[in-house]
């Protein structure tokens, strides 16, 4: 399925489109102009902002048009988002047909609107004075073609009958509840109270005191207390490139954004981008998930 095509269709239909992993795409107005006789409505450009309201409307839209399940459409959309982040990180451009393209500038996703893209409604004529307004209102004025409504009866007997029936039903229900409650209270007050003697349980004295049972501990098992506050430095891979130039470019972009990273050559065809994190051992899984979402690299792992 062509995800880029559906993103464009959904964006034109709703003027916004949230793409997981990329951000919220919005059609924003460019200021309108006035030529003296008519007001030209504003044109539109597409802007991408990080975050946005997370929803599955786009996946539902794709599933409806492709006649597939929403989960399959959501998985395909997620794969497209990951591929977009990877392509623009490598310096490529991802095109949305007839609307524009995704690029990366300063380590951030940016959308460049196509120069030929237009999304403008029809022009609105301006009215300079009240005389023109009166002329237009006289042209639009017309006499009603429907007959005047018939005079309503002063008393709606159907409604009166319905109200009376409802009152009778409510009165009968209230009387039944009152009568039932009164009879219940009378039975409760007239019932005799009988005092029954309480039999005390017999106390049996044991001949000998039971020896308390002690749990035996296996001498081979040694309990080790883990200090959850101890932190360590970890070197974590957040990117991998097959050329030194691409890896150095990625390191420079991340450094400009305030990230502390370095490039380490693994072999002749693999150059890793590495960052250092100080955290507890039990928090490494959470840290890797956060780095995976932050840098868009799925194979985040710790190296020695």
């Amino acid at each position: 399925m062509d995800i880029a095509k559906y993103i464009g269709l959904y964006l034109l239909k709703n003027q916004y489109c949230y793409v997981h992993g990329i951000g919220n795409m919005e059609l924003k107005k460019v200021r309108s102009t006035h030529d003296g006789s008519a007001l030209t409505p504003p044109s539109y450009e597409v802007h991408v902002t990080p975050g946005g309201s997370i929803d599955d409307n786009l996946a539902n839209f794709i599933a409806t048009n492709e006649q597939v399940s929403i989960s399959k459409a959501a998985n395909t959309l997620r794969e497209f988002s990951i591929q977009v982040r990877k392509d623009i990180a490598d310096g490529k451009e991802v095109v949305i047909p007839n609307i524009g393209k995704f690029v990366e500038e300063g380590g951030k996703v940016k959308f460049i609107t196509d120069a030929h893209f237009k999304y403008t409604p029809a022009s609105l004529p301006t009215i300079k004075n009240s005389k023109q307004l009166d002329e237009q209102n006289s042209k639009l004025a017309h006499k009603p073609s429907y007959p005047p409504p018939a005079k309503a009866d002063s008393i709606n007997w159907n409604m009166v009958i319905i109200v009376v029936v409802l009152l009778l039903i409510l009165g009968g229900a209230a009387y039944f509840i009152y009568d039932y409650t009164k009879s219940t209270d009378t039975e409760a007050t007239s019932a005799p109270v009988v005092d029954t003697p309480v039999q005390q349980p017999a106390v049996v004295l044991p001949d000998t005191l039971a020896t308390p049972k002690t749990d035996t501990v296996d001498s081979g098992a040694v309990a080790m207390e883990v200090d959850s506050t101890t932190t360590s430095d970890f070197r974590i891979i957040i990117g991998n490139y097959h050329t030194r130039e691409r890896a150095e470019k990625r390191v420079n972009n991340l450094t400009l954004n305030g990230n502390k990273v370095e490039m380490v050559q693994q072999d002749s065809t693999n150059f890793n981008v590495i960052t250092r994190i100080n955290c507890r051992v039990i928090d490494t899984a959470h840290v890797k998930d956060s780095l995976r979402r932050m840098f868009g690299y799925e194979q985040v792992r710790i190296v020695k």
Side-chain angles (χ1 to χ4, degrees):
M1 59 184 72
D2 190 356
I3 300 297
K5 178 188 73 174
Y6 286 116
I7 290 177
L9 293 175
Y10 189 88
L11 178 63
L12 293 177
K13 179 181 178 182
N14 299 283
Q15 297 187 0
Y16 79 94
C17 180
Y18 175 78
V19 182
H20 178 74
I22 295 177
N24 195 41
M25 302 175 63
E26 295 181 82
L27 277 174
K28 293 190 176 181
K29 293 183 180 180
V30 179
R31 65 171 192 164
S32 59
T33 58
H34 190 276
D35 59 1
S37 61
L39 178 66
T40 302
S43 58
Y44 290 83
E45 290 182 353
V46 181
H47 295 265
V48 175
T49 56
S53 58
I54 301 176
D55 56 51
D56 294 328
N57 293 334
L58 178 57
N60 191 12
F61 177 77
I62 296 173
T64 301
N65 287 274
E66 289 289 335
Q67 295 183 354
V68 297
S69 63
I70 297 178
S71 60
K72 182 177 181 180
N75 292 333
T76 306
L77 181 60
R78 187 178 299 106
E79 294 173 0
F80 173 83
S81 173
I82 295 173
Q83 187 63 39
V84 168
R85 295 294 297 268
K86 185 179 296 183
D87 289 343
I88 62 177
D90 292 338
K92 299 178 182 179
E93 298 176 348
V94 179
V95 178
I96 302 299
N98 302 320
I99 297 180
K101 56 188 176 182
F102 288 106
V103 296
E104 183 184 74
E105 289 186 7
K108 296 181 179 180
V109 179
K110 185 178 180 181
F111 191 90
I112 299 178
T113 307
D114 193 308
H116 301 289
F117 173 73
K118 291 186 180 297
Y119 184 79
T120 53
S123 300
L124 300 174
T126 58
I127 300 176
K128 295 183 178 180
N129 50 47
S130 60
K131 184 178 180 180
Q132 293 180 350
L133 181 60
D134 294 338
E135 291 177 355
Q136 288 193 357
N137 290 336
S138 63
K139 292 179 180 179
L140 296 176
H142 64 280
K143 295 182 179 180
S145 58
Y146 51 86
K151 185 178 180 180
D153 194 359
S154 58
I155 300 177
N156 190 343
W157 291 106
N158 293 330
M159 185 61 65
V160 172
I161 294 173
I162 293 174
V163 172
V164 171
V165 172
L166 289 176
L167 290 175
L168 292 175
I169 294 174
L170 292 176
Y175 177 77
F176 175 78
I177 294 174
Y178 171 76
D179 184 67
Y180 177 78
T181 305
K182 185 177 180 181
S183 62
T184 304
D185 294 339
T186 303
E187 293 176 359
T189 55
S190 61
V193 178
V194 179
D195 294 333
T196 57
V198 179
Q199 183 177 2
Q200 298 295 332
V203 179
V204 180
L205 296 177
D207 295 336
T208 58
L209 296 177
T211 304
K213 183 180 180 181
T214 58
D215 296 333
T216 58
V217 181
D218 187 2
S219 60
V222 179
M224 298 182 67
E225 182 179 0
V226 179
D227 188 359
S228 61
T229 62
T230 304
T231 61
S232 303
D233 289 330
F234 296 93
R235 299 170 70 241
I236 303 177
I237 297 177
I238 60 173
N240 176 266
Y241 300 89
H242 297 300
T243 62
R244 179 183 294 273
E245 292 75 12
R246 299 301 308 157
E248 291 178 347
K249 181 179 178 181
R250 181 62 172 168
V251 169
N252 292 334
N253 290 336
L254 295 176
T255 302
L256 290 175
N257 292 335
N259 299 288
K260 295 182 180 181
V261 296
E262 59 180 333
M263 189 272 291
V264 176
Q265 181 176 355
Q266 180 177 343
D267 50 40
S268 60
T269 59
N270 287 281
F271 298 86
N272 297 325
V273 177
I274 294 177
T275 186
R276 295 179 181 270
I277 299 295
N278 184 271
C279 66
R280 301 179 301 176
V281 176
I282 61 176
D283 293 336
T284 53
H286 177 69
V287 169
K288 289 192 292 182
D289 291 338
S290 300
L291 294 176
R292 188 176 296 109
R293 291 192 298 268
M294 181 181 298
F295 297 102
Y297 182 66
E298 292 296 325
Q299 300 178 359
V300 173
R301 63 184 185 276
I302 298 175
V303 297
K304 297 181 179 180

